[in-house]
Amino acid sequence: MELRFISPYLLLILCVWRIHSSPVIKDAAERQAKVEELQKYFNKSVDPCEDFYDYVCGNYATYHPATLDEPGTGMLETLQSRLDEKIKTILESDNKDETDADKKVKRFYRSCLQVADLKDKYPAKLKEIIKEFGEMPALVGEDKWKESDFDWLEVVAKIVHQYGLSILVKFEFSTDFVNNTLNRMYVSEQDFDLPRELYVGEKGDVIAERMPPAYAGRLTEFLGIEEDVALKTATEFLKFERSLAQAMFDQHAGDKLSETYVLHSLDEAQEKFAPQFDVKRFVELAVGTLPNLKIYTDDDYLANMFEAIKTTPPKVLANYIFYRLANGFIMDIPETKEELEETCLTRMKKYFYKNFDNMVYRKYNSRETEQGVQDMWSHIKAAFQKQLQSSHLNWLSEETRQYALEKLKSMRLDIISFKDTNFSEIMDPLDFKAEDYLGNLQKILSAQAIYDRRHLGEMARENDYGETLSTTPSYIYVENAIKVPVAMLQPSYAWSASFPNAFNFGVLGSLLSHELIHGFDGEGRTFDAIGNHRKWWDENSNKLFKKRSECLIHQYKDFVYGGQHLSEMPNQDENIADNSGVRLAYNAYLNWYDNTAEGDKKLENFPGMDFNYRQLFFTSYGYLWCSDFYSKLRTTLMAIDIHVPDKFRVLGPLSNFEEFAKEFNCPVGSKMNPAKKCEIY
């Protein structure tokens, strides 16, 4: 099922913090180190009332410049890098407590590190994989390829059955978003290599010109296709892919799940899509049987796909399908050992992210940490409950407000440790060879496909959201839950018991509050307390919500980044979560401060920083988004990310927040205190 796009900039850390614990002994050295880090990023020549981001982060890029090799830098990227180091340490060391599954994951990693030894064998091995499903015209020669033997539906369905790879369409089993006690089949868009915005419009024109040589190089290197044939083949199938991508899910436009998917019985789907798409035959080939389940289809995407197939020569379609198949096994071989280790780790996350999370959890986590996270979550929930009950949100009808309170009460936070996952079911039958990376990859893909089919009949089956949730927290609509990966349990970057809670709330608290607000944003408010899609807002409250959202649309399009205005986006969910999230975190912090011991209040500062505790909260929030992005890729970032650039994740929310202006004495009419402000919650 399609999830909201989640940028890597949303990475965070969770550490031990007990709201009601006895006062802790503050670590002066750790506090001083953080002070020195924060102070070197400040640009005190900037007026905080004119540009608070540059005031807090103006010198960040001097110390952490983005490059073409590292296009994005920031605190959250640093956290991901440190996490990768921990995983790499686990993979390269022996542990007396490691399980059989751990040992097999490590063996797979060793096989990946030896992939260079397979370079000369790569073409032959990939050709064998392709031959399992038919013939690729560019490989056998167009004059020898038999169009009559090619059936795209059969080839794609059999690839799904064998390896679970998404080609032309994604076929999967997932929770029904209308009734999450049921499972459904889903047929939707394939996983594209690029975001939608790089296929359509002018940017699509540029990409269309630049991409064929790169794809042709892969066809030559990994399949042994002659250069001229490879370039012709790549040019043709990329033209097809671009036409296929025109109906991709558009997050910027605010596409909704309920507007994208249509529910059918198998008989209804069969009748609706015949003769272009024999749904029953596809499902039976992919699954091995016809499950007694209804099916959701992305009708707009399928209609566009049928048209693209109809206007594309079969040989081009076949080349595209078989390239996509081969590409699922291709790994570019880096020149250095360090790059190879990084590449192997990145690729393995796709298949072993659960194993990695569980291995990190077992090695580094503590019960105290988990309890601390849950305590912080309880404090933030209490603050939002107080907001919902206040006259400040009187624009909500009483009925809508009461159900919002019910949904908030039911909302939970889960740390994703996979501690209850039965890794043996998938891993026990596997026999990885330390010298056979491609063979090992075939085995894990096949094992996962078998696992999915074996469990397709389970009711209320646990959703698998992939590796995304291993790197960033996320609100999951159909569960009414915030998922926090154990990757976030790294100390001293964004949270520490040695830091003032003004800092902890400004960073960690803002991120958790951001996710909570997603439960009540444009999409989240269409899901109820148990995670089912239904309308529970009255019409007047709905109109007022949209009116308040329009304020953000007009405000954000006036921001200028890299010499260009930000694009106008109907989907304001991320800006709503940023704006309302920082307000919520601030209120939660003040509630904590007002109810904490006097001794702890005295520690609500960093030595040598001339801020009161309220100002420190806002300064810490600004620090959260200190970053740099490679200049030549900034316009691309603006086009593809539904989050605004980090600078405006500070300027937008704080310029709308009267408490910020009050604490920094910003006069009305200054950039950080405009007369007109936007507010949702």
Side-chain angles (χ1 to χ4, degrees), residues 107-108 125 129 132 162-163 329 351-352 426-427 429-451:
R107 195 174 302 138
F108 190 102
K125 186 66 175 177
I129 293 172
E132 293 179 43
Q162 184 63 27
Y163 296 122
F329 295 89
Y351 318 114
F352 299 108
I426 290 181
M427 300 296 288
L430 298 176
D431 181 23
F432 293 143
K433 306 296 183 183
E435 70 287 347
D436 187 11
Y437 167 74
L438 282 176
N440 294 340
L441 185 51
Q442 285 179 279
K443 290 175 183 177
I444 189 60
L445 288 173
S446 293
Q448 185 62 58
I450 292 170
Y451 177 88

Side-chain angles (χ1 to χ4, degrees), residues 384-402:
F384 194 57
Q385 177 181 335
K386 187 176 179 180
Q387 286 179 226
L388 285 172
Q389 292 171 330
S390 72
S391 60
H392 191 66
L393 294 182
N394 275 349
W395 60 273
L396 289 172
S397 72
E398 188 60 26
E399 180 184 4
T400 297
R401 189 202 302 247
Q402 287 303 316

Side-chain angles (χ1 to χ4, degrees), residues 9 53 73 77 561 624-628 637 644-651:
Y9 301 124
Y53 179 85
T73 63
E77 284 77 12
Y561 182 70
L624 167 63
W625 300 113
C626 288
S627 63
D628 189 33
L637 170 68
V644 295
D646 291 345
K647 179 183 180 77
F648 304 105
R649 302 189 75 170
V650 176
L651 298 186

